Amino acid sequence: MGVLSNKITRDQLKPGDHIYSWRQAYLYSHHGIYVGEEKVIHFTQGQKETGKGTKSSQYTFSCRPPQISVDDPCPRCGYHSKRDGVIRSCLDCFLSGGDLYRFEYAVDKVYFILQPRGGTCTLASSDPPESVLHRAFYLLENGFGGYNLFKNNCEDFAIYCKTELLVQTSTGRSGQAASVMAAASTIGFLPLDFVPLVLSGVRATSIPALGYLGCRMLYTYCENRLASDIGVRHDVSKVPVEKLIARTRIEPEEEEEEVEEEEEEASNEIVEKNHFISLHEYI
């Protein structure tokens, strides 16, 4: 574990490791679970995410390596860039020409804060490798729901496999998403940081004022990142993978039943109304 980098070599890999690789000049990273024999289980939107949808969804590009054609599967593992959901591919397809990094668990707060951005470590502890592999393979067969850049992405998938922790609110577990939200919150509160300077009569463009604002923004950013980490949040709980899948299957059925009940009630109201009108005309 390095303070400046989590980069590792292939011979350091162990089944159950949470690995990632940076994409698009370190714009974002793609995450997955290494399962041994040069294979990785990861969560992706596939080729359909490129060039379509919102601007944010366009950042989640395909994980295929540059030498693999969009229309042809990988000759080694059969990975196809148009496949989506939870998939298993070879390590080369996962890395897509990038370097290999290992996500760190059970780090202390100092180490966490020293990381310039999220998506590299967490204060949460990892479960044993056999439990991690069980969840990864179970989700490979049953899916992990719909992909969402901020609420249910590849990092969320890998963290769940490692910890079994599930956020009970609408926000996800991703450190990358938390970094974006922390930065936005820091910028949003920037005008309030000028208030003490104005009250003290210090010019906002002076060196002391700029130094104060810089330290204040850095503190706010780190504080927000730390508060969003799954290892310190209070809205998380352990959810067994079997229960998670059962829940995702029940919810669509409940929604369908609710729609059917509403349609039946509407139909009954129409019948009663027509019956009343017919009775009124008869009288």
Side-chain angles (χ1 to χ4, degrees), residues 39 64-81 89-90 92-93:
K39 296 295 190 297
R64 63 184 176 88
Q67 66 271 23
I68 299 299
S69 168
V70 172
D71 298 317
D72 297 329
C74 171
R76 292 185 56 193
C77 65
Y79 170 70
H80 200 294
S81 61
S89 68
C90 66
D92 288 330
C93 285

mmCIF file of all heavy atoms in Angstrom, residues 39 64-81 89-90 92-93:
data_model
loop_
_atom_site.group_PDB
_atom_site.id
_atom_site.type_symbol
_atom_site.label_atom_id
_atom_site.label_comp_id
_atom_site.label_asym_id
_atom_site.label_seq_id
_atom_site.Cartn_x
_atom_site.Cartn_y
_atom_site.Cartn_z
ATOM 1 N N LYS A 39 -8.850 -13.534 -14.768
ATOM 2 C CA LYS A 39 -10.240 -13.171 -15.034
ATOM 3 C C LYS A 39 -10.731 -12.157 -14.005
ATOM 4 O O LYS A 39 -10.334 -12.178 -12.833
ATOM 5 C CB LYS A 39 -11.142 -14.398 -15.014
ATOM 6 C CG LYS A 39 -10.859 -15.419 -16.107
ATOM 7 C CD LYS A 39 -11.152 -14.849 -17.487
ATOM 8 C CE LYS A 39 -11.103 -15.931 -18.564
ATOM 9 N NZ LYS A 39 -9.769 -16.539 -18.695
ATOM 10 N N ARG A 64 -13.421 -2.323 -23.316
ATOM 11 C CA ARG A 64 -12.655 -3.127 -24.261
ATOM 12 C C ARG A 64 -11.292 -2.492 -24.508
ATOM 13 O O ARG A 64 -11.139 -1.275 -24.503
ATOM 14 C CB ARG A 64 -13.402 -3.246 -25.599
ATOM 15 C CG ARG A 64 -13.583 -1.892 -26.307
ATOM 16 C CD ARG A 64 -14.411 -2.045 -27.564
ATOM 17 N NE ARG A 64 -14.655 -0.737 -28.163
ATOM 18 C CZ ARG A 64 -13.853 -0.160 -29.031
ATOM 19 N NH1 ARG A 64 -12.743 -0.748 -29.399
ATOM 20 N NH2 ARG A 64 -14.149 1.019 -29.543
ATOM 21 N N PRO A 65 -10.243 -3.299 -24.742
ATOM 22 C CA PRO A 65 -8.939 -2.751 -25.062
ATOM 23 C C PRO A 65 -8.961 -2.155 -26.456
ATOM 24 O O PRO A 65 -9.777 -2.528 -27.290
ATOM 25 C CB PRO A 65 -8.016 -3.976 -24.990
ATOM 26 C CG PRO A 65 -8.922 -5.139 -25.187
ATOM 27 C CD PRO A 65 -10.238 -4.750 -24.610
ATOM 28 N N PRO A 66 -8.086 -1.184 -26.755
ATOM 29 C CA PRO A 66 -8.105 -0.496 -28.030
ATOM 30 C C PRO A 66 -7.976 -1.420 -29.232
ATOM 31 O O PRO A 66 -8.503 -1.119 -30.296
ATOM 32 C CB PRO A 66 -6.898 0.449 -27.929
ATOM 33 C CG PRO A 66 -6.669 0.626 -26.472
ATOM 34 C CD PRO A 66 -7.061 -0.678 -25.851
ATOM 35 N N GLN A 67 -7.253 -2.574 -29.082
ATOM 36 C CA GLN A 67 -7.036 -3.420 -30.237
ATOM 37 C C GLN A 67 -8.236 -4.304 -30.562
ATOM 38 O O GLN A 67 -8.246 -4.980 -31.582
ATOM 39 C CB GLN A 67 -5.804 -4.315 -30.014
ATOM 40 C CG GLN A 67 -5.943 -5.341 -28.901
ATOM 41 C CD GLN A 67 -5.498 -4.788 -27.560
ATOM 42 O OE1 GLN A 67 -5.488 -3.573 -27.357
ATOM 43 N NE2 GLN A 67 -5.114 -5.660 -26.657
ATOM 44 N N ILE A 68 -9.258 -4.341 -29.682
ATOM 45 C CA ILE A 68 -10.428 -5.171 -29.929
ATOM 46 C C ILE A 68 -11.490 -4.361 -30.658
ATOM 47 O O ILE A 68 -11.855 -3.277 -30.240
ATOM 48 C CB ILE A 68 -11.011 -5.717 -28.605
ATOM 49 C CG1 ILE A 68 -9.965 -6.578 -27.908
ATOM 50 C CG2 ILE A 68 -12.258 -6.518 -28.852
ATOM 51 C CD1 ILE A 68 -9.518 -7.783 -28.704
ATOM 52 N N SER A 69 -12.000 -4.902 -31.748
ATOM 53 C CA SER A 69 -13.022 -4.209 -32.529
ATOM 54 C C SER A 69 -14.314 -4.110 -31.745
ATOM 55 O O SER A 69 -14.622 -4.946 -30.898
ATOM 56 C CB SER A 69 -13.276 -4.968 -33.840
ATOM 57 O OG SER A 69 -14.423 -4.477 -34.480
ATOM 58 N N VAL A 70 -15.106 -3.068 -32.044
ATOM 59 C CA VAL A 70 -16.386 -2.871 -31.379
ATOM 60 C C VAL A 70 -17.312 -4.058 -31.637
ATOM 61 O O VAL A 70 -18.082 -4.474 -30.777
ATOM 62 C CB VAL A 70 -17.041 -1.562 -31.869
ATOM 63 C CG1 VAL A 70 -18.461 -1.440 -31.327
ATOM 64 C CG2 VAL A 70 -16.208 -0.365 -31.447
ATOM 65 N N ASP A 71 -17.236 -4.615 -32.855
ATOM 66 C CA ASP A 71 -18.163 -5.668 -33.249
ATOM 67 C C ASP A 71 -17.628 -7.080 -33.012
ATOM 68 O O ASP A 71 -18.383 -8.040 -33.098
ATOM 69 C CB ASP A 71 -18.520 -5.511 -34.728
ATOM 70 C CG ASP A 71 -19.215 -4.182 -35.006
ATOM 71 O OD1 ASP A 71 -20.089 -3.804 -34.208
ATOM 72 O OD2 ASP A 71 -18.873 -3.523 -35.999
ATOM 73 N N ASP A 72 -16.342 -7.232 -32.739
ATOM 74 C CA ASP A 72 -15.750 -8.556 -32.566
ATOM 75 C C ASP A 72 -15.426 -8.818 -31.100
ATOM 76 O O ASP A 72 -14.886 -7.948 -30.416
ATOM 77 C CB ASP A 72 -14.473 -8.687 -33.394
ATOM 78 C CG ASP A 72 -14.743 -8.555 -34.883
ATOM 79 O OD1 ASP A 72 -15.859 -8.946 -35.302
ATOM 80 O OD2 ASP A 72 -13.861 -8.058 -35.608
ATOM 81 N N PRO A 73 -15.743 -10.010 -30.593
ATOM 82 C CA PRO A 73 -15.417 -10.341 -29.206
ATOM 83 C C PRO A 73 -13.929 -10.593 -29.037
ATOM 84 O O PRO A 73 -13.212 -10.872 -29.999
ATOM 85 C CB PRO A 73 -16.234 -11.613 -28.956
ATOM 86 C CG PRO A 73 -16.351 -12.245 -30.306
ATOM 87 C CD PRO A 73 -16.463 -11.099 -31.271
ATOM 88 N N CYS A 74 -13.475 -10.511 -27.803
ATOM 89 C CA CYS A 74 -12.068 -10.784 -27.500
ATOM 90 C C CYS A 74 -11.765 -12.254 -27.794
ATOM 91 O O CYS A 74 -12.516 -13.140 -27.353
ATOM 92 C CB CYS A 74 -11.795 -10.463 -26.032
ATOM 93 S SG CYS A 74 -10.170 -10.994 -25.447
ATOM 94 N N PRO A 75 -10.693 -12.560 -28.520
ATOM 95 C CA PRO A 75 -10.379 -13.954 -28.849
ATOM 96 C C PRO A 75 -9.966 -14.778 -27.633
ATOM 97 O O PRO A 75 -10.019 -16.005 -27.669
ATOM 98 C CB PRO A 75 -9.215 -13.813 -29.840
ATOM 99 C CG PRO A 75 -8.603 -12.488 -29.532
ATOM 100 C CD PRO A 75 -9.733 -11.613 -29.112
ATOM 101 N N ARG A 76 -9.572 -14.123 -26.537
ATOM 102 C CA ARG A 76 -9.116 -14.849 -25.346
ATOM 103 C C ARG A 76 -10.257 -15.206 -24.406
ATOM 104 O O ARG A 76 -10.318 -16.310 -23.881
ATOM 105 C CB ARG A 76 -8.079 -14.024 -24.586
ATOM 106 C CG ARG A 76 -6.751 -13.841 -25.324
ATOM 107 C CD ARG A 76 -5.759 -13.109 -24.441
ATOM 108 N NE ARG A 76 -5.567 -13.810 -23.170
ATOM 109 C CZ ARG A 76 -4.967 -13.271 -22.129
ATOM 110 N NH1 ARG A 76 -4.536 -12.018 -22.176
ATOM 111 N NH2 ARG A 76 -4.798 -13.961 -21.021
ATOM 112 N N CYS A 77 -11.166 -14.254 -24.159
ATOM 113 C CA CYS A 77 -12.207 -14.490 -23.161
ATOM 114 C C CYS A 77 -13.623 -14.382 -23.721
ATOM 115 O O CYS A 77 -14.588 -14.656 -23.005
ATOM 116 C CB CYS A 77 -12.053 -13.513 -21.997
ATOM 117 S SG CYS A 77 -12.310 -11.780 -22.443
ATOM 118 N N GLY A 78 -13.750 -13.932 -24.979
ATOM 119 C CA GLY A 78 -15.079 -13.797 -25.561
ATOM 120 C C GLY A 78 -15.789 -12.532 -25.147
ATOM 121 O O GLY A 78 -16.967 -12.342 -25.459
ATOM 122 N N TYR A 79 -15.079 -11.647 -24.427
ATOM 123 C CA TYR A 79 -15.706 -10.385 -24.007
ATOM 124 C C TYR A 79 -16.109 -9.559 -25.208
ATOM 125 O O TYR A 79 -15.360 -9.411 -26.166
ATOM 126 C CB TYR A 79 -14.757 -9.590 -23.114
ATOM 127 C CG TYR A 79 -15.232 -8.183 -22.840
ATOM 128 C CD1 TYR A 79 -16.336 -7.963 -22.028
ATOM 129 C CD2 TYR A 79 -14.597 -7.076 -23.411
ATOM 130 C CE1 TYR A 79 -16.791 -6.690 -21.775
ATOM 131 C CE2 TYR A 79 -15.053 -5.797 -23.163
ATOM 132 C CZ TYR A 79 -16.149 -5.601 -22.338
ATOM 133 O OH TYR A 79 -16.600 -4.338 -22.107
ATOM 134 N N HIS A 80 -17.315 -9.018 -25.157
ATOM 135 C CA HIS A 80 -17.843 -8.178 -26.234
ATOM 136 C C HIS A 80 -18.187 -6.822 -25.670
ATOM 137 O O HIS A 80 -18.856 -6.704 -24.645
ATOM 138 C CB HIS A 80 -19.091 -8.821 -26.847
ATOM 139 C CG HIS A 80 -19.421 -8.317 -28.212
ATOM 140 N ND1 HIS A 80 -19.813 -7.020 -28.455
ATOM 141 C CD2 HIS A 80 -19.396 -8.936 -29.422
ATOM 142 C CE1 HIS A 80 -20.038 -6.868 -29.749
ATOM 143 N NE2 HIS A 80 -19.793 -8.000 -30.361
ATOM 144 N N SER A 81 -17.737 -5.776 -26.337
ATOM 145 C CA SER A 81 -17.906 -4.421 -25.813
ATOM 146 C C SER A 81 -19.359 -3.982 -25.747
ATOM 147 O O SER A 81 -19.676 -3.005 -25.082
ATOM 148 C CB SER A 81 -17.113 -3.431 -26.669
ATOM 149 O OG SER A 81 -17.582 -3.447 -28.003
ATOM 150 N N SER A 89 -14.537 -11.028 -17.760
ATOM 151 C CA SER A 89 -13.639 -10.867 -18.899
ATOM 152 C C SER A 89 -12.211 -11.152 -18.456
ATOM 153 O O SER A 89 -11.934 -11.295 -17.261
ATOM 154 C CB SER A 89 -13.744 -9.452 -19.473
ATOM 155 O OG SER A 89 -13.224 -8.497 -18.562
ATOM 156 N N CYS A 90 -11.312 -11.216 -19.419
ATOM 157 C CA CYS A 90 -9.908 -11.396 -19.070
ATOM 158 C C CYS A 90 -9.350 -10.084 -18.514
ATOM 159 O O CYS A 90 -9.941 -9.012 -18.691
ATOM 160 C CB CYS A 90 -9.102 -11.859 -20.281
ATOM 161 S SG CYS A 90 -8.991 -10.648 -21.627
ATOM 162 N N ASP A 92 -6.793 -8.379 -19.434
ATOM 163 C CA ASP A 92 -6.415 -7.422 -20.469
ATOM 164 C C ASP A 92 -7.605 -6.582 -20.918
ATOM 165 O O ASP A 92 -7.483 -5.370 -21.120
ATOM 166 C CB ASP A 92 -5.818 -8.156 -21.679
ATOM 167 C CG ASP A 92 -4.435 -8.708 -21.391
ATOM 168 O OD1 ASP A 92 -3.722 -8.099 -20.568
ATOM 169 O OD2 ASP A 92 -4.068 -9.738 -21.967
ATOM 170 N N CYS A 93 -8.762 -7.223 -21.103
ATOM 171 C CA CYS A 93 -9.960 -6.483 -21.500
ATOM 172 C C CYS A 93 -10.389 -5.516 -20.404
ATOM 173 O O CYS A 93 -10.846 -4.408 -20.674
ATOM 174 C CB CYS A 93 -11.094 -7.447 -21.826
ATOM 175 S SG CYS A 93 -10.918 -8.298 -23.406
#
